[in-house]
Amino acid sequence: MLCDRVIELRKKRGLTLDQLASACGVSRSMLSQIERGRANPTLAVTLRIAQAFGLSIGDLVDQPWTASTIEVVRGDDATHLFRDDRECRIRTLSPLHLEKHVEFYELRIAPRASLRSAPHFEGTRELLTITRGRARVVAGDSDCQLTEGDSAHYHADQEHVIENVSDDELLAFLVVTYE
């Protein structure tokens, strides 16, 4: 039952009702009623609770027939475009609800352009793999040159830059992890 599942997940993650209410935007009293089996939440409320736990609705209600085992991010899905301008196109390849733990991006950087990033949260790391082109990566006081097939792993909790150092578009994949 949903009430048992919400209690289980909340306690497993060490959350109070107030903390869960804050995370999902559902009132503490409504969550309390849901946990006691005294309220039947709307689909929108259930979705907000599921998203607070980083789950789909199917995973939240824990019914195998309601959840697909495959999530697809379509190449033409504009909702997954993080940035798209003359210099850079960043497309999120990971399902959006997973972005609390890991992010996976396709990067396309125009010739001689760069992607500059301010420091992310402490403990953030990036793994960049070059698929086509040449890049220079600067993270803090360190830098390196990368070509097709090369990967670099670096601290992203400091200023960092990915520069396209060629006259062709740079195509790369970026994985961002949080501790």
Side-chain angles (χ1 to χ4, degrees), residues 51-114:
Q51 289 174 332
F53 289 125
L55 301 172
S56 68
I57 289 177
D59 290 335
L60 176 65
V61 297
D62 203 23
Q63 302 298 322
W65 61 88
T66 62
S68 173
T69 57
I70 300 174
E71 290 186 61
V72 176
V73 176
R74 299 283 177 206
D76 61 353
D77 185 348
T79 64
H80 281 75
L81 281 177
F82 182 75
R83 176 179 167 185
D84 192 13
D85 56 46
R86 289 184 323 117
E87 293 188 350
C88 184
R89 181 176 192 224
I90 303 173
R91 187 168 69 96
T92 304
L93 299 176
S94 50
L96 297 175
H97 67 86
L98 293 180
E99 291 189 348
K100 293 179 184 174
H101 309 290
V102 65
E103 299 171 12
F104 182 39
Y105 297 101
E106 174 190 71
L107 300 180
R108 292 179 180 269
I109 302 177
R112 304 293 172 187
S114 62

Side-chain angles (χ1 to χ4, degrees), residues 9 14 22 25 37 56-57 79 91 106 127 132 135 148 164 176:
L9 289 168
S22 177
S56 68
I57 289 177
T79 64
R91 187 168 69 96
E106 174 190 71
L127 173 63
R132 186 177 62 232
E148 288 183 23
N164 181 348
V176 181

Side-chain angles (χ1 to χ4, degrees), residues 37-50:
R38 294 197 174 145
N40 189 13
T42 64
L43 190 58
V45 168
T46 305
L47 177 61
R48 288 173 25 202
I49 294 168

Side-chain angles (χ1 to χ4, degrees), residues 21-41:
S22 177
C24 67
V26 174
S27 73
R28 182 190 189 285
S29 63
M30 173 57 88
L31 287 172
S32 177
Q33 289 178 35
I34 291 168
E35 285 190 355
R36 290 180 287 146
R38 294 197 174 145
N40 189 13

